[in-house]
């Protein structure tokens, strides 16, 4: 399974915001420069993260973005569920004529649940805790 770049950028953004001192604002340019990603794409990601309540966006001259909740309360599984389509195969009868007898969809559903259960065990804060190397890399911004 491969996550979309939308989810990847969302997770990276949350990790970066969690690495900043509490309530410190940053801006989209800082994040796009750090990760060398498309500003247009990241604007959409940040907009969605804001709609979902993960980040707070502050408008105006001294505006920017920051985490809206503690990183310890944001599970990676929750973020992936919110950002990722998670449709592994198209099992509609119009698309696949073996759907009524297929056992693959059940296995894929269980595999997806196991994948998400593992990600539910990890928070954004867990990814940063005792990870000096990551903090050094994120400080380059």
């Amino acid at each position: 399974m491969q996550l979309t770049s939308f989810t990847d950028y969302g997770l990276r953004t949350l990790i970066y915001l969690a690495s900043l001192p509490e309530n410190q604002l940053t801006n989209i340019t800082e994040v796009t420069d750090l990760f060398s990603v498309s500003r247009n794409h990241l604007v959409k990601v940040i907009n969605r993260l804001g709609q979902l309540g993960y980040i707070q966006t502050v408008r105006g001259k001294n505006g920017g973005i920051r985490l809206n909740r503690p990183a310890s309360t944001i599970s990676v599984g929750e973020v992936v569920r919110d950002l990722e389509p998670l449709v592994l195969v198209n099992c509609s009868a119009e698309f696949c004529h073996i759907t009524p007898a297929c056992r693959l969809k059940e296995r894929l559903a269980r595999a997806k649940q196991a994948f998400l259960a593992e990600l539910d065990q990890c928070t954004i804060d867990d990814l940063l805790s005792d990870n000096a190397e990551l903090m050094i890399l994120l400080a380059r911004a």
Side-chain angles (χ1 to χ4, degrees):
M1 174 186 262
Q2 183 174 359
L3 298 177
T4 61
S5 60
F6 194 88
T7 302
D8 177 22
Y9 295 168
L11 289 167
R12 287 197 240 175
T13 299
L14 292 174
I15 291 167
Y16 176 63
L17 294 177
S19 77
L20 300 174
E22 191 172 346
N23 290 323
Q24 180 178 328
L25 287 169
T26 188
N27 58 53
I28 293 173
T29 301
E30 210 171 277
V31 181
T32 58
D33 289 349
L34 176 66
F35 294 120
S36 300
V37 298
S38 160
R39 180 180 174 82
N40 289 338
H41 196 56
L42 194 64
V43 166
K44 294 173 191 172
V45 171
I46 287 173
N47 182 47
R48 185 69 181 133
L49 290 172
Q51 290 171 345
L52 293 167
Y54 292 113
I55 65 170
Q56 179 184 30
T57 56
V58 179
R59 295 188 183 272
K61 181 180 173 189
N62 296 317
I65 57 173
R66 65 178 157 221
L67 280 185
N68 194 41
R69 13 187 294 220
S72 61
T73 68
I74 303 172
S75 88
V76 174
E78 174 187 13
V79 176
V80 169
R81 278 184 189 86
D82 285 343
L83 299 182
E84 194 67 27
L86 292 176
V87 177
L88 300 180
V89 292
N90 183 353
C91 290
S92 67
E94 302 92 41
F95 185 76
C96 180
H97 71 280
I98 67 170
T99 293
C102 183
R103 293 181 181 160
L104 177 62
K105 61 187 171 193
E106 296 166 13
R107 297 290 177 142
L108 290 173
R110 288 201 311 253
K112 180 174 81 172
Q113 287 308 101
F115 172 73
L116 291 169
E118 182 63 30
L119 295 179
D120 286 339
Q121 302 293 320
C122 176
T123 67
I124 297 296
D125 189 53
D126 293 335
L127 301 174
L128 291 162
S129 295
D130 298 322
N131 193 342
E133 184 178 8
L134 178 60
M135 294 301 286
I136 290 168
L137 293 169
L138 291 173
R140 292 189 311 183

